[in-house]
């Protein structure tokens, strides 16, 4: 997993962000998904399905409780400069729903330390460097082994 720095204006709905929230989570940063941005109306009437600005959102990444229990219903408007965040493991997530009495559960966008990069982006970008490094290591090892076997010192 790679986290890249982003400015407040670069944060989008659906991003998974690393965020620090003073007074929450033992002051440790946490990973959560951005559901609502400043000005958005976020609601869940049944504690399961989420709508943003009246439109239901598709969340294939969400882990549901196999026993079918739902979280609390909520209906909030996210204050400007703030974010409404939910965990992907909803049955156990300690997210914006847990702090609805504090600015609608939102967190300051300025608390975002970075965005999680999509899987596969880093390995594909680094693959040529890894391959070249492995090649150099093999050449170096091969040279050292040959010199040692023939009694020659490099």
């Amino acid at each position: 997993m790679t986290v890249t720095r982003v400015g407040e204006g670069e944060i989008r709905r659906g991003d998974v962000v690393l965020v620090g929230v003073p007074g929450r989570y033992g002051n440790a940063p946490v990973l959560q998904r951005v559901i609502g941005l400043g000005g958005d109306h976020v609601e869940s009437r049944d504690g399961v399905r989420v709508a943003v600005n009246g439109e239901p959102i598709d969340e294939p990444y969400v882990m549901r409780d196999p026993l079918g229990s739902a979280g609390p219903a909520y209906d909030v408007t996210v204050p400007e400069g703030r974010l409404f965040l939910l965990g992907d493991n909803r049955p156990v997530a300690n997210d914006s729903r847990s702090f609805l009495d504090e600015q609608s559960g939102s967190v300051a966008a300025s608390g975002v330390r970075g965005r999680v990069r999509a899987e596969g982006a880093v390995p594909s970008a680094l693959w040529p460097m890894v391959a070249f490094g492995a090649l150099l290591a093999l050449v170096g090892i091969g040279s050292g082994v040959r010199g040692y076997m023939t009694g020659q010192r490099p």
Side-chain angles (χ1 to χ4, degrees), residues 12-146:
R12 305 284 178 254
R13 277 184 221 97
D15 286 349
V16 175
V17 295
L18 181 66
V19 62
V21 185
R24 291 187 195 172
Y25 317 114
N27 293 321
V30 295
L31 291 172
Q32 294 187 337
R33 189 171 300 272
V34 177
I35 301 299
L37 304 168
D40 283 345
H41 176 237
V42 181
E43 67 178 319
S44 178
R45 295 177 191 266
D46 60 5
V48 176
R49 293 172 297 210
V50 179
V52 177
N53 300 324
E55 295 293 322
I57 59 174
D58 182 33
E59 298 183 291
Y61 45 78
V62 171
M63 290 178 250
R64 306 282 182 198
D65 186 346
L67 300 176
S69 64
Y74 51 90
D75 187 342
V76 300
T77 298
V78 183
E80 288 300 326
R82 300 186 66 84
L83 308 168
F84 192 84
L85 306 174
L86 295 177
D88 286 355
N89 190 355
R90 299 282 162 82
V92 297
N94 187 15
D95 50 31
S96 288
R97 299 170 300 166
S98 302
F99 304 96
L100 292 172
D101 57 340
E102 300 173 22
Q103 298 196 51
S104 300
S106 66
V107 301
S110 61
V112 171
R113 297 183 181 180
R115 173 178 39 222
V116 174
R117 290 187 56 162
E119 290 183 49
V122 173
S124 64
L126 290 180
W127 180 245
M129 289 186 285
V130 170
F132 184 67
L135 178 64
L136 286 178
L138 288 173
V139 168
I141 290 170
S143 297
V145 169
R146 190 188 78 225

